[in-house]
Amino acid sequence: MLSLASPSGLRRLWGGFLDLVLPPRCLSCGVPVAALGTLCVACWREITFLGAPCCACCGYPFDFDLGANGLCGACAAHAPQFDRARAVMRYDDSSRELVLALKHGDRLHLVPTLAQWMRRTGTELLAEADLVVPVPLHWTRLFARRYNQAAVLALALAKLGGPPVSADCLIRRRRTPSQGRKNALARRRNVAGAFAVRRTSAVRGKRVMLIDDVRTTGATVEECARVLKRAGAARVDVLVLARTVRSDG
Ligand SMILES: [Zn+2]
Ligand SMILES: [Zn+2]
């Protein structure tokens, strides 16, 4: 029941009022759309949503189905530290707007829709996870940005019925320079030793789902997975909003 005495009741009423006076807008480009929390047709067409068929391990999209255990060349040559990784969409010029808006733009109204997309992509992985752990920011960056976009996505997933979130068991103990223009080797060196598990008891024996917004070379999630496994995690799966696909360069 909607109670005006509670802050959430007032918020819902205010939200309903805004829906009446402001037409819903495309989450990416801002043109009017029919329903809240959606993309316009043009933006929807531009986004490359990823799914099967893909590498059973890292989720790299395949043109052809190689079967349930088919691996891409990179995973076959060198098994990643994580068990399975999946991404909602390809990180490219079209999805960058959504991802950067979440990271730097304080556009948190995107979050419920993005979390729903992540839940759909990660249904199988989430069903087998005991604990959701967001990739942490260093506290100085958290202070400057005011929120950790990975933690915001993890909490929104939990609200949709996902596994419980532990936002403090994995910490970033040193501030790493931006991964921006670095190549794969430099990125791995950049994050080596940057993460630590603060509460080993929280992850020991657990199936952990690591959450982040963007994955490029995978150096960050691999380093987090390595540290979590060393602390005793039974498995580490990864779910991100967007990933580069190697042919992107
Ligand atoms: Zn649009
Ligand atoms: Zn792979």
Side-chain angles (χ1 to χ4, degrees):
M1 203 182 83
L2 183 69
S3 164
L4 294 186
S6 72
S8 67
L10 275 177
R11 245 194 329 267
R12 278 165 59 194
L13 189 73
W14 176 242
F17 172 70
L18 285 181
D19 291 350
L20 287 178
V21 295
L22 299 174
R25 302 203 167 260
C26 168
L27 291 176
S28 184
C29 72
V31 303
V33 288
L36 266 183
T38 54
L39 295 173
C40 71
V41 174
C43 287
W44 187 265
R45 278 205 196 113
E46 290 297 313
I47 302 253
T48 306
F49 288 96
L50 302 173
C54 67
C55 168
C57 179
C58 75
Y60 183 86
F62 289 155
D63 292 333
F64 303 100
D65 197 346
L66 296 185
N69 298 314
L71 295 178
C72 72
C75 290
H78 175 77
Q81 299 283 339
F82 52 75
D83 292 275
R84 294 172 295 180
R86 296 293 180 267
V88 173
M89 55 194 164
R90 182 176 175 154
Y91 188 53
D92 53 21
D93 289 341
S94 308
S95 62
R96 192 168 290 124
E97 168 75 10
L98 283 172
V99 172
L100 292 182
L102 181 67
K103 200 192 284 262
H104 301 296
D106 279 349
R107 278 166 56 186
L108 291 176
H109 64 282
L110 296 170
V111 169
T113 301
L114 301 180
Q116 272 174 19
W117 292 354
M118 288 177 89
R119 184 175 69 157
R120 199 177 46 203
T121 303
T123 304
E124 210 180 308
L125 279 62
L126 283 163
E128 294 173 8
D130 301 311
L131 188 68
V132 168
V133 173
V135 170
L137 289 179
H138 189 257
W139 69 269
T140 52
R141 198 157 278 169
L142 186 63
F143 189 73
R145 201 180 285 166
R146 289 179 290 137
Y147 64 88
N148 172 3
Q149 68 281 3
V152 166
L153 290 169
L155 291 168
L157 268 170
K159 246 187 196 170
L160 295 172
V165 177
S166 175
D168 65 349
C169 67
L170 183 65
I171 56 165
R172 194 183 285 247
R173 58 183 175 184
R174 69 179 168 78
R175 188 172 169 151
T176 46
S178 165
Q179 297 275 61
R181 293 173 189 280
K182 294 183 167 59
N183 64 25
L185 181 64
R187 283 174 184 235
R188 272 204 301 281
R189 285 199 185 126
N190 192 28
V191 294
F195 298 94
V197 172
R198 190 158 60 176
R199 287 189 297 115
T200 311
S201 59
V203 299
R204 194 181 299 127
K206 298 276 169 59
R207 297 168 300 177
V208 175
M209 164 73 90
L210 196 61
I211 300 280
D212 208 356
D213 55 348
V214 185
R215 174 183 156 200
T216 49
T217 58
T220 300
V221 291
E222 281 234 46
E223 181 62 13
C224 290
R226 191 183 67 77
V227 167
L228 286 164
K229 286 254 174 102
R230 190 191 272 178
R235 69 179 301 140
V236 179
D237 290 331
V238 178
L239 181 60
V240 299
L241 194 55
R243 64 161 288 171
T244 50
V245 174
R246 283 183 289 273
S247 58
D248 296 348

